[in-house]
Amino acid sequence: MCFLCSQDTFCSRLLQDPTLYTVRAVIILDQDGHRLVAKYYDCTFPSLLEQQEFERKIFQKTQRPESEVILVDGVTALCQRLSDVMCYIIGGPDENELMLLSALTCLCESLCHILRKHVDRNSLLENIDTVFLILDEIIDQGVILECESQQVIQRFNFKMVSEQAFGFVLFDYITGSKEQRECQKRTEFE
């Protein structure tokens, strides 16, 4: 007899293996419910039509101000509003909402900091590469890697500085070697 549901069978919750793959999707929609960013990590919604239908449902259900955590189509959806966009993180029906909320908060805080507190539809679309980099720093294949926005910002800034520095060093190497050869040729002729 199961001690949770008082039935003669075991609960399916107890038989599920624990997993690190807690996030099924991350979605950012504009004020009209149109997709700006969407990254699905499993096959819960395999086709584009199913994804769009799901996004329409969660957008409609989160229009009320008190709806931060909802259960729709057998998944848990958490949402957070940033000016004219809505950020969603989707997990399984039995996922820990606090863990999902910490990842969603990390995403929103990181976006606010990197985009200089001007997170709206246009700034997201102009910086879509940055949005995906931040998302990849926080979640990898459905596994939450980081929940501290300061760590994400620090790593993101380090990557941006090192990529720029590498580009300048490569450029200086290519152009500098040519200048050095020309300078050596001049000194040899004199």
Side-chain angles (χ1 to χ4, degrees), residues 65-95:
E66 69 274 355
S67 58
E68 185 175 83
V69 179
I70 59 170
L71 187 64
V72 61
D73 287 348
V75 296
T76 303
L78 283 81
C79 68
Q80 193 166 346
R81 181 178 297 276
L82 296 173
S83 71
D84 67 345
V85 297
M86 293 287 285
C87 298
Y88 299 92
I89 191 164
I90 312 300
D94 298 326
E95 290 301 332

Side-chain angles (χ1 to χ4, degrees), residues 135-151:
L135 189 54
D136 289 341
E137 285 293 324
I138 298 170
I139 301 167
D140 182 32
Q141 300 297 317
V143 177
I144 298 174
L145 299 177
E146 188 63 63
C147 288
E148 291 292 327
S149 61
Q150 291 302 318
Q151 294 293 324

Side-chain angles (χ1 to χ4, degrees), residues 23 27 56 59 68 94 97 122 138 146 160 163 184:
V23 178
I27 304 165
R56 187 185 60 75
F59 181 74
E68 185 175 83
D94 298 326
E97 290 91 359
N122 292 334
I138 298 170
E146 188 63 63
M160 295 307 289
E163 286 176 5
Q184 286 175 350

Side-chain angles (χ1 to χ4, degrees), residues 37-190:
V37 175
K39 199 161 188 182
Y40 288 83
Y41 297 106
D42 71 351
C43 58
T44 304
F45 304 102
S47 71
L48 180 62
L49 288 174
E50 289 174 333
Q51 292 173 4
Q52 289 174 337
E53 178 64 23
F54 174 71
E55 291 165 10
R56 187 185 60 75
K57 284 181 184 178
I58 62 170
F59 181 74
Q60 287 176 349
K61 287 197 173 198
T62 56
Q63 290 304 302
R64 295 183 301 263
E66 69 274 355
S67 58
E68 185 175 83
V69 179
I70 59 170
L71 187 64
V72 61
D73 287 348
V75 296
T76 303
L78 283 81
C79 68
Q80 193 166 346
R81 181 178 297 276
L82 296 173
S83 71
D84 67 345
V85 297
M86 293 287 285
C87 298
Y88 299 92
I89 191 164
I90 312 300
D94 298 326
E95 290 301 332
N96 184 343
E97 290 91 359
L98 293 176
M99 192 164 57
L100 294 173
L101 181 62
S102 64
L104 180 62
T105 302
C106 180
L107 173 66
C108 293
E109 288 176 357
S110 299
L111 288 174
C112 285
H113 187 272
I114 297 295
L115 298 177
R116 309 214 188 310
K117 302 200 186 309
H118 188 63
V119 181
D120 62 355
R121 182 183 193 279
N122 292 334
S123 64
L124 280 176
L125 291 176
E126 289 172 2
N127 299 292
I128 196 79
D129 57 336
T130 302
V131 174
F132 278 109
L133 282 173
I134 290 171
L135 189 54
D136 289 341
E137 285 293 324
I138 298 170
I139 301 167
D140 182 32
Q141 300 297 317
V143 177
I144 298 174
L145 299 177
E146 188 63 63
C147 288
E148 291 292 327
S149 61
Q150 291 302 318
Q151 294 293 324
V152 173
I153 293 164
Q154 187 177 22
R155 272 189 296 218
F156 178 78
N157 287 335
F158 177 75
K159 283 184 177 182
M160 295 307 289
V161 168
S162 64
E163 286 176 5
Q164 290 173 353
F166 178 73
F168 285 123
V169 168
L170 182 62
F171 180 74
D172 289 344
Y173 175 74
I174 292 170
T175 59
S177 62
K178 191 184 274 187
E179 290 173 0
Q180 288 174 354
R181 280 183 269 155
E182 289 175 5
C183 196
Q184 286 175 350
K185 286 180 185 179
R186 282 188 219 145
T187 56
E188 289 175 2
F189 287 119
E190 295 174 353

